[in-house]
Amino acid sequence: MNKWFWYAIGAAILYGLHQIFTKLASSGISDGLGGFVVEGTAALTIVLYLAGLYVRGNWNQKASVPGIWYSVATGVCVGAGTMLFFLLFQKGGLLSAVPMVLAGGAAIRAVAGIIFFKEPATWPRLLGVVLALAGLFLLRSPAVK
């Protein structure tokens, strides 16, 4: 089994819970304030992780200028995406819509992997992109609330 597999499982569980908690929170907090609380709590969690590394003597953190700028861009995407999820739920979006939204993101990542990172354009990968886009289209059909 790949070394990264259990990290992927953990991330999938935590990001799945992230959307459930966002759905629960969305009726009790506005999009901007909710996003701020989410991202502020995320930042605090990371600070505690870094402090733990430092205290245990496992500090192995490094940075480069491009790494910092790409991290800033990631933060902008995560913050804006969190607010959009709050708005999605506040406007009546269903929790079951989240997998299709995330599949759209997966399609973007797969295409970027093929074009920019020279990852193989296999038939299963390309079919996944098409199905993810089809899921987004079906999500907007009148049969789905």
Side-chain angles (χ1 to χ4, degrees), residues 61-78:
Q61 305 301 299
K62 60 183 177 67
S64 67
V65 173
I68 291 169
W69 281 113
Y70 285 126
S71 294
V72 168
T74 301
V76 169
C77 292
V78 170

Side-chain angles (χ1 to χ4, degrees), residues 36-91:
F36 181 77
V37 170
V38 167
E39 302 308 329
T41 304
L44 178 61
T45 302
I46 295 167
V47 166
L48 293 173
Y49 169 76
L50 292 172
L53 289 177
Y54 182 77
V55 168
R56 288 191 311 268
N58 291 341
W59 187 263
N60 59 356
Q61 305 301 299
K62 60 183 177 67
S64 67
V65 173
I68 291 169
W69 281 113
Y70 285 126
S71 294
V72 168
T74 301
V76 169
C77 292
V78 170
T82 297
M83 288 183 291
L84 288 174
F85 268 114
F86 270 95
L87 289 167
L88 178 149
F89 294 134
Q90 289 170 351
K91 302 297 182 190

Side-chain angles (χ1 to χ4, degrees), residues 117-138:
F117 299 101
K118 306 302 182 217
E119 295 174 1
T122 63
W123 284 111
R125 185 168 288 148
L126 294 173
L127 178 61
V129 169
V130 169
L131 292 174
L133 296 174
L136 281 173
F137 177 75
L138 292 172

Side-chain angles (χ1 to χ4, degrees), residues 98-120:
V98 171
M100 288 305 115
V101 172
L102 298 179
I108 292 168
R109 291 186 296 276
V111 170
I114 292 165
I115 294 172
F116 299 112
F117 299 101
K118 306 302 182 217
E119 295 174 1

